[in-house]
Amino acid sequence: MSIEIKQIQDKADFKKFVKFNIELYKHNPYHVPGLIDDELMTFDKDRNPAFEFCEAAFFLAYKDGKIVGRIAGIINHRANETWNQNHARFGWVDFVNDNKVVDALFDAVIRWAKSKGKDMLQGPMGFTDMDHEGMLIQGFDQMGTMATIYNYAYYPMQLERLGFVKDQDWKEYKIYVPKEVPEKHLRISNIVRQKYGLKTVKFRTRKEIMPYAHRIFGLLNKAYSVLYGYSELSEAQIDYYVKIYIPMVRLEYITTIVREKDDTVVGVAITIPNLSRALRRAKGSLWPTGIFHLMKAMYGKNPIMDFYLIGVIPEYQNKGVNALLFDDLIPIYQKNNIVYAESNPELETNMSVQMQWNYFERKHHKTRRVYIKQI
């Protein structure tokens, strides 16, 4: 039977677009579904400020009247301008292992990208770095995380069959919490704190963190500006992410480093209890029981932590500020019986980030890739 490709526009089809991922992986023990309402908000031009500088097209593939694949085509004009490129992206890509389905999906996105005058297609990527990016190429027997893509092992083989090649890889680690703060971290922390006049700021209430929230995301703009594919977050986007993330975080797991003389935020670590198993139980919905599973994972006994957003402004990078972050967090992890943390993706070329784990027991357990192809 032939494959039918449908470019979607209405809310009912977007819900099918989101639910296809959940249906495709319902028997897979490692896949972590997102929340349907959150996904739908990401695709809503009226609610996601990324559409101020991005455009997108969304496609579903049908075979015998049944959905067998999905894909989004994205153009981030700000990223293209920043990196002096003329690329389109693909993201939110899922498909059954059928060559004709894969061919039809990518043909639809390539035709759309060409109609917009683009010459390269790269992905999987989202609108911005705050969306999921990178196809899993190693670690298919490892539990996914809220911040990452999980995909079947046949996905990268299909991309390579189509002529896509590696553009960038990320590594992920399990980082085990030590019984004591490493002695070198303690020594570096004391030196850095005194040399640069830095202090650690903690928050007890949402009200206390709000004056710092915009500064924290402004710091991430600076810290991530040189990283692969990054496009600066606008004030509207920062507002958007503050509303999403600040209400959900557990405040003791946020550490902020500020310069004492002017209260400038120079480093931050936003870490959260791992929600993977809770999201699997939620099956895409907060109601009726999903909210219970998520709250239990967030505030109950949970031996796994996720490193979600960690950054240091450029002028303080490679000066030991990361040691200050973990000098604060490790005792908190120990108190709460955290066994290990998921690093989430780290660019394989970002050696300064990977070297910070040299003082910890760690295991490289996943690798993910963005592919690229001339179109």
Side-chain angles (χ1 to χ4, degrees):
M1 296 292 292
S2 63
I3 309 302
E4 177 192 359
I5 298 294
K6 178 180 180 181
Q7 184 171 350
I8 63 172
Q9 302 285 349
D10 61 53
K11 291 183 179 180
D13 281 337
F14 274 113
K15 201 161 190 178
K16 294 175 186 176
F17 186 92
V18 172
K19 286 187 171 182
F20 174 70
N21 172 269
I22 297 172
E23 177 66 21
L24 185 64
Y25 288 93
K26 66 181 179 182
H27 299 303
N28 185 290
Y30 308 113
H31 174 255
V32 178
L35 293 173
I36 294 169
D37 287 344
D38 286 353
E39 294 274 287
L40 291 173
M41 183 166 63
T42 299
F43 304 143
D44 190 329
K45 293 180 181 179
D46 295 326
R47 294 196 287 172
N48 185 352
F51 280 98
E52 293 175 358
F53 52 88
C54 293
E55 55 183 303
F58 303 87
F59 302 91
L60 286 171
Y62 287 83
K63 183 177 182 180
D64 298 331
K66 180 181 178 182
I67 297 174
V68 289
R70 69 171 190 170
I71 195 168
I74 300 163
I75 299 170
N76 182 323
H77 296 287
R78 180 175 291 167
N80 279 342
E81 182 179 345
T82 299
W83 298 97
N84 191 29
Q85 62 191 26
N86 190 34
H87 294 181
R89 302 174 171 188
F90 68 88
W92 288 279
V93 59
D94 288 296
F95 44 77
V96 298
N97 194 16
D98 182 318
N99 290 1
K100 291 183 179 180
V101 172
V102 178
D103 291 349
L105 283 169
F106 278 90
D107 181 63
V109 168
I110 287 170
R111 282 189 286 107
W112 175 80
K114 283 184 174 180
S115 76
K116 300 291 184 178
K118 303 307 163 190
D119 54 28
M120 303 290 281
L121 182 64
Q122 63 182 158
M125 299 180 75
F127 296 103
T128 73
D129 260 24
M130 303 298 285
D131 298 316
H132 294 172
E133 56 189 1
M135 181 174 286
L136 194 66
I137 62 169
Q138 178 250 325
F140 302 104
D141 60 347
Q142 299 294 313
M143 181 71 75
T145 69
M146 180 178 69
T148 59
I149 296 167
Y150 182 88
N151 54 265
Y152 288 120
Y154 63 77
Y155 280 40
M157 291 187 285
Q158 285 284 3
L159 267 288
E160 289 160 15
R161 180 184 66 80
L162 291 177
F164 283 89
V165 297
K166 171 186 172 180
D167 197 30
Q168 182 65 59
D169 278 6
W170 288 265
K171 294 182 178 181
E172 295 179 44
Y173 297 91
K174 285 182 179 178
I175 301 161
Y176 292 86
V177 177
K179 293 182 179 179
E180 297 179 354
V181 179
E183 188 274 334
K184 189 168 185 177
H185 265 234
L186 288 172
R187 188 171 70 254
I188 292 173
S189 295
N190 289 331
I191 293 172
V192 170
R193 190 179 289 111
Q194 294 176 19
K195 182 176 181 179
Y196 299 109
L198 304 178
K199 66 177 181 179
T200 301
V201 174
K202 301 293 285 186
F203 308 105
R204 294 168 297 175
T205 66
R206 311 284 169 196
K207 185 177 180 180
E208 286 182 359
I209 195 174
M210 290 311 294
Y212 287 87
H214 273 254
R215 283 188 278 165
I216 285 171
F217 280 94
L219 174 151
L220 296 174
N221 263 341
K222 295 177 182 178
Y224 296 168
S225 63
V226 298
L227 298 183
Y228 172 85
Y230 189 76
S231 62
E232 183 176 327
L233 298 175
S234 66
E235 283 301 310
Q237 282 182 288
I238 290 175
D239 284 338
Y240 177 77
Y241 291 123
V242 166
K243 290 176 184 176
I244 290 174
Y245 290 116
I246 298 304
M248 66 174 281
V249 294
R250 187 164 158 182
L251 294 176
E252 66 179 318
Y253 293 139
I254 298 178
T255 298
T256 305
I257 308 300
V258 303
R259 192 165 55 205
E260 288 191 271
K261 67 178 182 180
D262 58 8
D263 210 33
T264 295
V265 179
V266 303
V268 67
I270 299 175
T271 69
I272 62 174
N274 181 276
L275 302 179
S276 298
R277 287 167 178 78
L279 286 165
R280 283 183 53 77
R281 295 187 181 102
K283 299 178 181 178
S285 178
L286 286 176
W287 314 107
T289 60
I291 187 68
F292 168 78
H293 296 302
L294 289 168
M295 294 302 288
K296 184 177 179 181
M298 182 67 75
Y299 294 101
K301 294 180 180 179
N302 187 341
I304 307 171
M305 187 64 53
D306 277 4
F307 292 164
Y308 207 69
L309 296 169
I310 299 177
V312 176
I313 58 176
E315 54 263 46
Y316 283 90
Q317 290 174 6
N318 302 314
K319 292 183 177 179
V321 175
N322 281 358
L324 284 176
L325 294 170
F326 291 103
D327 180 43
D328 176 73
L329 286 169
I330 288 172
I332 298 171
Y333 294 162
Q334 293 168 335
K335 179 190 71 173
N336 291 317
N337 298 310
I338 306 299
V339 177
Y340 70 87
E342 289 273 2
S343 73
N344 283 311
E346 299 176 348
L347 287 167
E348 65 173 354
T349 55
N350 194 344
M351 299 308 299
S352 62
V353 169
Q354 293 176 47
M355 286 175 61
Q356 71 181 327
W357 312 130
N358 286 348
Y359 311 111
F360 301 91
E361 180 187 353
R362 65 176 180 173
K363 179 182 179 182
H364 172 213
H365 64 313
K366 301 176 200 167
T367 305
R368 58 188 63 252
R369 176 168 296 171
V370 160
Y371 289 89
I372 195 165
K373 178 183 178 179
Q374 187 171 358
I375 59 176

